[in-house]
Amino acid sequence: MKKYNCIVKVGNDKFLKYHLSDLLKFVEFLDRQWKDWRWFNVYDKNSKTQIANYTRTNRPTNKQI
């Protein structure tokens, strides 16, 4: 299973970093814990390159990229 690092913008000036493998469960977690999240960038854990970005309205449709 692929592993990702994600940086999430919460509110106006807070950034959080998470390590995950399931994007759909991650979005559910954000909706529960951080209701004011705005967007998140997804990075490959090994190469550290950005591979996707999502917003509250443009959400992931699959567990993995």
Side-chain angles (χ1 to χ4, degrees):
M1 188 170 277
K2 287 188 171 185
K3 301 278 184 174
Y4 306 109
N5 292 334
C6 290
I7 297 177
V8 183
K9 182 168 185 181
V10 178
N12 290 327
D13 60 350
K14 188 172 188 174
F15 293 90
L16 306 171
K17 185 175 183 181
Y18 290 97
H19 307 282
L20 56 115
S21 58
D22 187 331
L23 294 170
L24 297 178
K25 286 185 180 180
F26 181 60
V27 170
E28 290 175 14
F29 164 77
L30 290 176
D31 287 338
R32 279 192 319 272
Q33 297 296 319
W34 302 100
K35 296 187 189 317
D36 61 342
W37 73 274
R38 293 175 174 235
W39 53 261
F40 67 93
N41 293 331
V42 182
Y43 299 88
D44 180 86
K45 186 171 182 175
N46 296 325
S47 68
K48 308 292 189 229
T49 57
Q50 182 176 341
I51 53 178
N53 62 334
Y54 298 101
T55 64
R56 290 187 63 77
T57 56
N58 176 29
R59 294 171 176 250
T61 56
N62 296 315
K63 289 170 44 168
Q64 296 188 347
I65 298 171

